[in-house]
Amino acid sequence: MQKKSYIKELSISNTQQRFGTTNVKKDVEKIQSWLTLFAMQNPNAGTATGIDGDFGPATERAVMNFQTAIGTTATGIVDTHLFEQLSAPLKNAFETPSTGNNLRELVVNTAKNHAKNNPFELIIRNQSNTGPWVRAYMDGHEGTSWYWCMGFAQTIIDQAASQLGKNFKTLMPLSYSCDTVGSTGLQKNILTRYQTARTNPSLIQPGDIFLLQKSTYDWYHTGIVINVQGDVIETIEGNTNADGSSNGNAVLNKIRNFKKSKIDFFSIEPLV
């Protein structure tokens, strides 16, 4: 893969614990982040805690509750093995090989596997668009201004292409900008405008990237096309929510009516 920042999210430097002499604020924040992410999927586990880098009594109790939830001894101490268990969803998303007979199938199945592992952003130091998932998709960047929908889409293309020994950057530049990718599609003549897509849906293929258009050369949200059926596309997209926001907080599987929205489509065919 070209986008390897996710690897930094899968480890801590040393054992972290209350009153620990090897505690590192950044590592404690990572632990607190994963405890909070676990609570989102397991709301009765009692693992949600503040994310401030301080391994105090609240974090210790949250760790103990996590250990109880996974059936191990509740020590309140996070060693490298326990952290691997905390961060397992991200490892599963990024390192589980996808199945597929071609790049398009690999892209679809890779996107589905990420969604299955529940990527979600956090709010840290009053900043949205933060946390391990965002940093993994955005090459270490995070914060309110770092919308991560394109980072997610490019990660999926990169991961799938890498299984075939291909470099996604031959298709598009590494970018977090929908405008950059849309403009690249125009330059390479691989961007289908919404007017054409509406009249010829066969041009839309699973694995392609959709781009919501604000104006002719301005796009504001993106994701992966999973399926095309009638007037709608099924998608998996990052930095969205149930309403389809371009600045939501999760990776979601959504349905969009491409005949009622200005949705352009960037084809991955040159990489296939």
Side-chain angles (χ1 to χ4, degrees):
M1 283 185 68
Q2 303 299 308
K3 294 168 68 68
K4 296 182 178 180
S5 287
Y6 80 91
I7 296 172
K8 298 177 182 178
E9 305 301 330
L10 298 178
S11 64
I12 52 176
S13 57
N14 289 290
T15 295
Q16 308 289 300
Q17 59 188 304
R18 191 178 181 192
F19 306 122
T21 59
T22 60
N23 284 4
V24 176
K25 183 174 182 177
K26 186 174 181 180
D27 286 343
V28 175
E29 280 192 358
K30 288 163 74 172
I31 291 165
Q32 293 168 331
S33 294
W34 283 112
L35 288 166
T36 299
L37 288 164
F38 184 81
M40 292 177 180
Q41 303 304 316
N42 303 273
N44 295 322
T47 62
T49 187
I51 304 172
D52 58 7
D54 178 23
F55 205 119
T59 300
E60 182 181 53
R61 172 48 58 187
V63 171
M64 294 175 72
N65 288 346
F66 174 74
Q67 290 170 317
T68 298
I70 64 172
T72 191
T73 304
T75 64
I77 299 171
V78 182
D79 58 13
T80 55
H81 177 65
L82 187 67
F83 187 77
E84 287 174 359
Q85 293 173 288
L86 275 166
S87 60
L90 191 143
K91 184 178 178 67
N92 291 339
F94 277 82
E95 296 189 352
T96 301
S98 296
T99 58
N101 296 317
N102 53 57
L103 179 62
R104 292 189 178 280
E105 291 182 5
L106 286 172
V107 168
V108 168
N109 290 332
T110 299
K112 287 181 177 180
N113 186 46
H114 274 251
K116 183 174 68 175
N117 283 284
N118 303 300
F120 207 93
E121 72 177 51
L122 298 170
I123 297 176
I124 303 175
R125 294 180 292 278
N126 296 316
Q127 292 281 306
S128 61
N129 298 330
T130 61
W133 286 104
V134 176
R135 292 191 297 268
Y137 293 135
M138 299 294 284
D139 305 295
H141 300 293
E142 64 178 338
T144 299
S145 63
W146 291 94
Y147 289 22
W148 50 279
C149 59
M150 182 55 75
F152 168 76
Q154 286 201 340
T155 295
I156 300 303
I157 302 297
D158 179 22
Q159 189 173 336
S162 294
Q163 283 195 223
L164 300 177
K166 297 181 179 182
N167 187 339
F168 87 100
K169 290 192 285 189
T170 63
L171 181 67
M172 68 186 88
L174 173 64
S175 177
Y176 316 114
S177 166
C178 293
D179 289 350
T180 296
V181 173
S183 297
T184 299
L186 289 174
Q187 294 164 8
K188 293 188 172 185
N189 198 31
I190 53 175
L191 188 78
T192 298
R193 291 296 201 170
Y194 73 89
Q195 299 94 331
T196 302
R198 288 176 178 178
T199 58
N200 190 1
S202 65
L203 295 173
I204 311 168
Q205 297 293 319
D208 287 342
I209 295 174
F210 77 85
L211 289 160
L212 284 176
Q213 186 192 118
K214 185 176 182 180
S215 60
T216 304
Y217 303 106
D218 184 357
W219 300 269
Y220 65 96
H221 186 58
T222 190
I224 304 294
V225 177
I226 300 303
N227 191 26
V228 186
Q229 189 71 41
D231 292 354
V232 303
I233 54 171
E234 182 180 355
T235 70
I236 293 179
E237 52 199 79
N239 207 179
T240 193
N241 59 19
D243 291 331
S245 170
S246 60
N247 189 24
N249 51 20
V251 169
L252 293 176
N253 188 321
K254 294 191 60 59
I255 303 295
R256 292 182 180 272
N257 188 326
F258 68 90
K259 291 195 175 182
K260 291 186 177 180
S261 302
K262 294 181 178 180
I263 305 179
D264 296 339
F265 296 91
F266 182 103
S267 175
I268 66 166
E269 190 62 30
L271 197 58
V272 174

